[in-house]
Amino acid sequence: MTGARQTSGTTRAPGGPATPLQYVKGIGPHRADLLAKKGLATVEDALFFLPLRHEDRTRLTPFRALSVGQTVTCEGTIAGVSPPPPGRARAPLVLLLKDATGFMSVTLFGGRTYLARVLKRGQRLVVHGRVERYRDRLTLQASDWELVEGGDDERLHAGRLTPVYSTTEGLGQRLLRSLMWRVVEAYARAAPETLPDALRARRRLIGLAEALRGAHFPDTDAQRAAARRRLVFDDFLLLQLGLAILRTRTTRARGLRMDPRGELVARLRGALPFTLTRAQERVWAEIRRDMAAPYPMHRLLQGDVGSGKTVVAALAVLTAVEAGYQAAVMAPTEILAEQHLATFRRLLEPLGVRVALVTAGVKGRERAARRAAIAAGEIACVVGTHALVEEQVEFRRLGLAIVDEQHRFGVHQRAGLRAKGEQPDVLVMTATPIPRTLALTVYGDLDVSVLDELPPGRTPVVTAARTEAKRPQIYEFLREQVAAGRQVYVVCPLVEESEAVDLKAATDTARRLQTEVFPDRAVGLLHGRLGGEAKDEIMRRFNAGDVHVLVSTTVIEVGIDIPNASVMLVEHAERFGLSQLHQLRGRVGRGPWKSYCILLMADHLSEDADRRIQAMVATNDGFKIAEVDLELRGPGEFFGTRQSGLPEFRLADLLRDGAVLEEARRDAQALIAADPDLRAPAHAGLRRALLARWRGKLDLASVG
Ligand code: ADP
Ligand code: MG
């Protein structure tokens, strides 16, 4: 805290950060109620209720230099107050201000009676707003104003870097800003420091008290930047500390040592019609090493669609089985669970490994029998949906839990599956390539393996964007492809508000394709309302080549693997998210044939939709796609941070602050390595902040 701008007398700091806001001088119960609507109950809540932005109102423009359309800040003396026009008592108040260069009319909105009472001739006023022409005269329409009182150089609303907060009904910008000023003035100084001095010195970070003051009411841009850097660092450090603790918990825990001779693995390798890619070999070695180690594996396997994750997963399952344990594979949807079931059966059952399915769709006696077999250890590999984490499913000896497409599950579901065994190894697989900054955050508690190489012989998918006018030519192209022996996906968007409408759109499309385009071919329809058996039947027929064109809602999004299907037509491509489009495209290009993805789009696109389609046409690289998607959607949307079970950031921005993230991550790891439970006196503040930030989400038995 610089101290230079502190006004005396008004700043008193009774109580600590937990003080309810109503006891802050100048707030009281009524205003405290208003603040409560913003979720602000205590002094601490308010201190960390950071402005959306700051407006630079430091530069004062002389009246003579004003012209229409400018947004400016000016200062002058009130030379006159116009009376309201006859019969319009509620008209805005118009003042005449004078500065060294001339006069200016200023229009103020808001309660006229109140304004006329506080604004008197001779007073000095700072106003901020836009210069407009009104009846042939210039007037400054003030969005904010402030009296400059004698001897008081403290400005809140104008004439400074002015914070702009998120307002709410009954709590306008001026009032909110004034209340925030009171809290910051009275309490920021007393905010207990959380970072150890040595760390602050090394990273050149300002103190928390100074940072809070600078984040709300900075005097200069440099102060604001330093404040931001400090608070962003805190966001990242507290997250990374929590993640580091979760990790050491895993590596310190006693896990299963699964280190069989590897006969089953060798037999599967021998039976595969291909050899593993270098990337698959590397990743498999990493997983194999984790499984053999005496601590629980906690690893993320990341690989673009078609990079061959499933085979690697199968090797892990076989290793667990040969070591005498069971394996569970959890998928996010029934259709994907079924797809995995089919794949794992094909790969594992010839080796004598029993594979069974557990989903909500498996019911009654069948379900009871299956559960009994799992509990008895007769079924070695269990594939399922989140039904797997239901309490009734009990394993005899769960050694390996594989979670597919983890971005759809939260940290808690992952933990739920882990709890089915005693420290089983956990392998999380995702086909959504994640930019490094995000991976460090979201998967910060996992080791990461990346399949960064596609199996050989894949030709990149040709992607084209077309408008409705080209539909006849597109259909002609589809006919040619089918005539050449290929199969076609036609994907219709899901508009989640109305399943009935979606279904009708897909049904109409299928009917039209059947009657008008492919009268001599089989057109199938796959959608979310079909029962499990009906879905299976269609997929089986498509797989067998008996269905040539498969019209589908987005249920085919992930995991479906039919090499002969080499063309995909996406209807209303502008309605899909970017990652979703990329996942869809991954369904083609799986065989030796040249493959195509045609994006049929509306004539007029929003800017975002246009960028999504451009990105799809420009690249097949999942990592590039993911970066664009992250930019377009922001991390919260991209990953669904709210469901992830991780604490939210107060200020940090993964796109903007990647460098700070790396620093904080290194520091967090060093801190936890040196003082795993943060018990050193120098770490007391950090430990308190950590517990507060993670609330119940981090079970800090060893820290709390
Ligand atoms: P992912 O799950 O990563 O999307 P899959 O495991 O489904 O990818 O593999 C995609 C296709 O590639 C499957 O048909 C699989 O049999 C095949 N495949 C996997 N690994 C290889 C490899 N090393 N060489 C050739 N084909 C492979
Ligand atoms: Mg797969």
Side-chain angles (χ1 to χ4, degrees), residues 274-277 280 304-310 455 458 561 590:
F274 49 76
T275 54
L276 297 187
T277 63
Q280 282 170 317
D304 208 347
V305 282
S307 58
K309 296 182 290 296
T310 317
R458 300 269 170 86
D561 184 16
R590 299 188 147 239

Side-chain angles (χ1 to χ4, degrees), residues 485-524:
R486 303 287 77 72
Q487 287 164 283
V488 176
Y489 292 107
V490 177
V491 183
C492 302
L494 269 180
V495 188
E496 273 165 39
E497 299 94 76
S498 165
E499 218 182 319
V501 174
D502 294 337
L503 185 52
K504 182 168 185 318
T507 312
D508 288 350
T509 303
R511 191 178 305 125
R512 192 175 54 187
L513 283 167
Q514 180 73 81
T515 54
E516 295 170 20
V517 189
F518 295 104
D520 49 345
R521 306 281 182 183
V523 176

